[in-house]
Amino acid sequence: MQLDCAGKMLDLSQPMVMGVLNVTPDSFSDGGCYLPLGAALRRAEIMVQEGAAIIDIGGESTRPGAPPVSAAEELDRVLPVVERLARDLSIPVSVDTSKPEVIREAAWAGAGMINDVRALQIPGALDAAVTSGLPVCLMHIRGEPATMQQEPHYGDVVIEVHAFLAERVRVCQAAGIPRERLLVDPGFGFGKTLDHNLRLLRHLDRFTDLAAGVLVGVSRKSMIGLLLNAPVDERLSGSLAAAVVAIWQGAKIIRTHDVRETVQALCVCAAARAAE
């Protein structure tokens, strides 16, 4: 299946890698590294060379405890990067945002996808996404980044997250975004304990019926750190293991900081899945 990202196609017939490019001062793994425009552009070029199929640009940290930023500040961070990369790269760029103002301006600047951790629930975001005509990734979050990890509770996390995403897909379809332009993300680490995250990973195949594909972001997250007792910069092997499990369970896109290594791991995984 081909996903049309503002004229640049994303092939979902094989596992794809989405490279993370945070132009923020406070993201949990790479905050401050790519805030200067030149550094962001160089990092994007490297990720393309390493095999990224799409670059995801974020201007507001959504790590646990992160404070919100204004739409104006987020636009100042992301628009110059979106404009340059949309013009210069052969692959699409995604914008990681929940704000309708950023959705609209990023679409005008050439973004090819909207990646929203709040699943278009902020007032005006759904209308902005419909008007943009772009594919959208709908993610599940319990609460807000500032408070989401304060004792999150579910009766059955798989059933509840699935129901939430199914309802958001229904709302988007009713508003005019076809299922073929929607991706879903169960939101690993967003208002979930380690046990919740592991249950979602184990039962990820139950989410593949909801939309055009499942997107998974587990790269360097605290769930990996808890399992391995490892700091952020020592979580590569665990992140790759989780990515392979996700693809085996039917995920289509892996969002990662470590593009080259993830591309290689998914290549092996895809070959094994295709063997008779």
Side-chain angles (χ1 to χ4, degrees), residues 23-262:
V23 286
T24 61
D26 57 346
S27 291
F28 80 96
S29 180
D30 55 357
C33 295
Y34 309 115
L35 198 54
L37 178 60
L41 299 178
R42 287 191 295 274
R43 178 59 185 155
E45 291 172 357
I46 290 170
M47 289 193 286
V48 172
Q49 293 168 5
E50 292 178 339
I54 183 170
I55 304 293
D56 192 38
I57 304 164
E60 179 180 20
S61 174
T62 52
R63 62 176 172 78
V69 302
S70 68
E73 185 173 1
E74 189 175 341
L75 284 167
D76 284 345
R77 293 174 181 176
V78 303
L79 279 189
V81 184
V82 171
E83 289 173 348
R84 283 288 300 274
L85 295 184
R87 184 191 71 191
D88 295 347
L89 298 185
S90 60
I91 66 171
V93 295
S94 167
V95 62
D96 181 359
T97 189
S98 299
K99 298 182 179 69
E101 305 95 323
V102 181
I103 292 173
R104 284 193 295 268
E105 294 297 326
W108 275 107
M113 182 186 292
I114 306 302
N115 183 20
D116 185 2
V117 301
R118 296 175 181 86
L120 301 181
Q121 293 185 97
I122 288 182
L126 179 59
D127 289 342
V130 171
T131 301
S132 76
L134 299 178
V136 179
C137 181
L138 306 166
M139 199 197 80
H140 175 274
I141 183 174
R142 174 67 59 88
E144 286 292 319
T147 58
M148 64 187 177
Q149 289 304 102
Q150 297 177 6
E151 300 184 7
H153 175 76
Y154 300 84
D156 186 311
V157 67
V158 177
I159 291 174
E160 292 177 42
V161 173
H162 186 281
F164 170 85
L165 291 173
E167 174 61 13
R168 294 311 299 165
V169 168
R170 186 197 67 77
V171 169
C172 288
Q173 288 182 293
I177 305 176
R179 181 180 181 276
E180 293 73 25
R181 286 215 312 264
L182 294 170
L183 301 167
V184 294
D185 179 348
F188 290 95
F190 285 82
K192 294 153 184 100
T193 65
L194 175 59
D195 180 66
H196 296 146
N197 290 319
L198 293 175
R199 281 184 48 77
L200 287 168
L201 187 60
R202 171 65 181 84
H203 298 286
L204 196 64
D205 58 328
R206 291 169 59 176
F207 293 83
T208 58
D209 65 332
L210 291 176
V214 175
L215 185 151
V216 166
V218 290
S219 176
R220 304 182 186 177
K221 287 190 173 178
S222 61
M223 62 177 285
I224 307 298
L226 288 170
L227 287 169
L228 304 181
N229 190 28
V232 170
D233 59 354
E234 295 179 12
R235 298 176 186 174
L236 174 59
S237 57
S239 299
L240 295 177
V244 167
V245 172
I247 293 299
W248 202 271
Q249 292 283 79
K252 296 292 187 182
I253 301 175
I254 299 296
R255 184 179 183 273
T256 183
H257 304 82
D258 303 293
V259 171
R260 179 176 60 87
E261 296 88 347
T262 305

